[in-house]
Amino acid sequence: MGSTGTVLRELRGAQKSAKGVSLYSRYVNRPAGRVLAAGAYRAGLTPNQVTLVSAAFTYAALAAVALVEPSWTLGVAVYAALAVGFAFDSADGQLARLTGRGGPDGEWLDHVVDCGKLLLVHAAVLISFYRFGELPSDAWLLLPLGFQLAAVVTFCAGLLREQLGKAAATAQAATAQASAVPAAPGTPPAPVSRVRAVALLPADYGVFCLVFLLLGAPGAFRAGYAALAVVHTLFLAAFLTKWFRELRALRPG
């Protein structure tokens, strides 16, 4: 087992592409996940165990949002736990690539935890609004439901886009091979766009978690949460349009 410095260098070489990644994930969450992955490697943890650690931090924080009266102290604790959980969510994949111990079971577990997180984070806000919110109107109770819808549809549609795209590419490769048609030459990857990385910041889960720092000021929290809900809904519309066009372009013939 190499030194921590050696492990960190190996992890840097096993990073995913930065394409389509916001500045927060690129410069904050992934580096934090790299440090946690190195620690997990030194401790002999498996990627799946790291995923469960991520779930423990995240779900404990969400339970606190639902069950504990909002305060500044709670906000700091919830944000810290969510941020650590998100970093461990990055660490499990990095550890899997480093050790070669990843597999369908690990990917499945990671997505199950992520799906539960997206459902529970907005359910926790809804419960908190109902129990502690002293809302100006009961209509505010609809906001977490709408935000939850946007988040879950984005998550599921993105997974389907990825899987259907891979299936279409595999089918096209098989057809080309059967027809003895030479494969088209590969094109170099497009450079990472810093403008896109900045534009994606409002849709990044790590940035979303910052709103919980406002739990001590209910009005400010509601305003920040509502603004993020609007932004995520706009991103959903843009993503759905983009993914539909990409999949339509993959039709055979």
Side-chain angles (χ1 to χ4, degrees):
M1 186 179 292
S3 66
T4 300
T6 300
V7 174
L8 285 171
R9 284 192 295 271
E10 292 178 358
L11 284 166
R12 289 191 188 96
Q15 291 293 300
K16 287 183 178 179
S17 168
K19 183 179 179 181
V21 175
S22 83
L23 288 181
Y24 179 90
S25 286
R26 185 177 179 185
Y27 292 112
V28 178
N29 198 58
R30 285 187 176 180
R34 188 161 59 239
V35 173
L36 294 176
Y41 178 79
R42 297 283 294 174
L45 297 180
T46 68
N48 286 351
Q49 288 171 331
V50 173
T51 300
L52 294 177
V53 171
S54 169
F57 274 97
T58 299
Y59 292 176
L62 299 181
V65 171
L67 301 176
V68 180
E69 186 171 359
S71 66
W72 292 110
T73 301
L74 177 66
V76 172
V78 166
Y79 170 72
L82 290 176
V84 171
F86 191 34
F88 271 112
D89 188 29
S90 174
D92 59 6
Q94 296 189 51
L95 181 62
R97 289 188 292 276
L98 174 68
T99 61
R101 298 175 68 180
D105 60 317
E107 187 173 357
W108 175 85
L109 180 63
D110 184 56
H111 283 107
V112 167
V113 170
D114 285 344
C115 187
K117 172 176 68 180
L118 290 177
L119 288 168
L120 289 175
V121 66
H122 301 293
V125 172
L126 175 60
I127 294 170
S128 180
F129 277 180
Y130 180 78
R131 297 186 66 201
F132 310 113
E134 298 181 0
L135 303 174
S137 166
D138 287 345
W140 279 95
L141 296 174
L142 298 175
L143 178 62
L145 296 177
F147 203 157
Q148 184 182 72
L149 176 64
V152 173
V153 172
T154 301
F155 179 76
C156 294
L159 283 180
L160 281 171
R161 163 63 185 95
E162 180 181 358
Q163 295 304 315
L164 291 172
K166 288 179 180 178
T170 300
Q172 289 176 351
T175 301
Q177 184 177 14
S179 305
V181 176
T187 57
V192 176
S193 169
R194 186 169 292 273
V195 173
R196 178 179 172 82
V198 172
L200 287 172
L201 275 172
D204 192 294
Y205 177 78
V207 174
F208 163 75
C209 292
L210 288 167
V211 76
F212 288 96
L213 290 172
L214 298 174
L215 279 175
F221 175 79
R222 286 196 303 271
Y225 184 80
L228 286 171
V230 171
V231 170
H232 279 246
T233 301
L234 294 174
F235 269 100
L236 171 60
F239 287 148
L240 291 181
T241 301
K242 175 178 181 290
W243 293 333
F244 181 80
R245 289 174 176 171
E246 290 173 348
L247 290 172
R248 185 168 58 182
L250 295 175
R251 286 181 180 177

